[in-house]
Amino acid sequence: MSAAGDRLQDTARKAALALPDVSHGRPFTPGLDVYKVADKVFLIVTDDPDEQIITVKCEPEHARALERGYASITPGRYLDKRHWISLGPGRSITKQLINDAVEHSYDLVVDGLPQSQRPPRAPGPDTAAG
C-alpha cells in the first residue's frame, strides 16, 4: 500500500464529502467506495491496496489532455472510458489536481440533473451579492 495512494484517496474522499448533498456507499461491490449526488455517481474510490485509484467523470477532450499530460491518469476503470478517467498516485498528482478533478466530476453530474434535483449552491465570488 502506497502512502501516496492513501493521500490520493483520502484527498478525493474529503473533497467529495465537502460538496453539497453527497452520499456514499458500496452499491456495486465491497471494494468500491462510491460517491453520488442525486443518486448519480461522480467518484469511485477503490479499496484494493494494489490499485489505489480514484475514478471521476470528465469531459472527453479534457480527459484526453489529462491522460497525455500525466502518466498516472488513464481512461476510467469500471465505466465509459470516454467520459471517465482514473487517477493513480504519481509525483505530479497534486492535492489541487485531485480536488479539481473531483469537483469537476461533481459539477458535470449536477449540470446534467433537472433543475428540481440540483443541490443548492453556496454563492461563489462571482455570484455573491454586493
Side-chain angles (χ1 to χ4, degrees):
M1 186 176 293
S2 158
D6 286 345
R7 284 191 300 273
L8 165 77
Q9 293 176 318
D10 289 346
T11 298
R13 285 182 170 107
K14 287 175 186 171
L17 291 173
L19 297 166
D21 294 341
V22 170
S23 64
H24 77 285
R26 296 174 183 267
F28 306 128
T29 179
L32 297 177
D33 199 10
V34 178
Y35 293 77
K36 297 180 178 182
V37 59
D39 211 31
K40 303 285 184 190
V41 175
F42 72 93
L43 169 66
I44 297 175
V45 181
T46 65
D47 276 346
D48 182 346
D50 295 325
E51 190 173 40
Q52 293 177 297
I53 62 170
I54 66 167
T55 301
V56 294
K57 191 166 189 159
C58 192
E59 293 168 330
E61 289 179 20
H62 186 55
R64 300 306 76 83
L66 289 171
E67 290 165 15
R68 285 189 303 273
Y70 297 89
S72 59
I73 297 180
T74 60
R77 302 252 174 83
Y78 317 114
L79 299 164
D80 178 348
K81 294 183 182 321
R82 184 165 182 260
H83 294 276
W84 293 81
I85 55 173
S86 292
L87 289 78
R91 290 185 1 193
S92 59
I93 304 298
T94 64
K95 183 176 180 178
Q96 186 64 52
L97 179 66
I98 298 163
N99 287 332
D100 289 349
V102 170
E103 290 172 14
H104 179 70
S105 181
Y106 174 91
D107 288 342
L108 285 174
V109 171
V110 167
D111 290 348
L113 295 172
Q115 193 69 35
S116 62
Q117 292 181 5
R118 293 182 185 182
R121 295 195 188 234
D126 295 335
T127 59

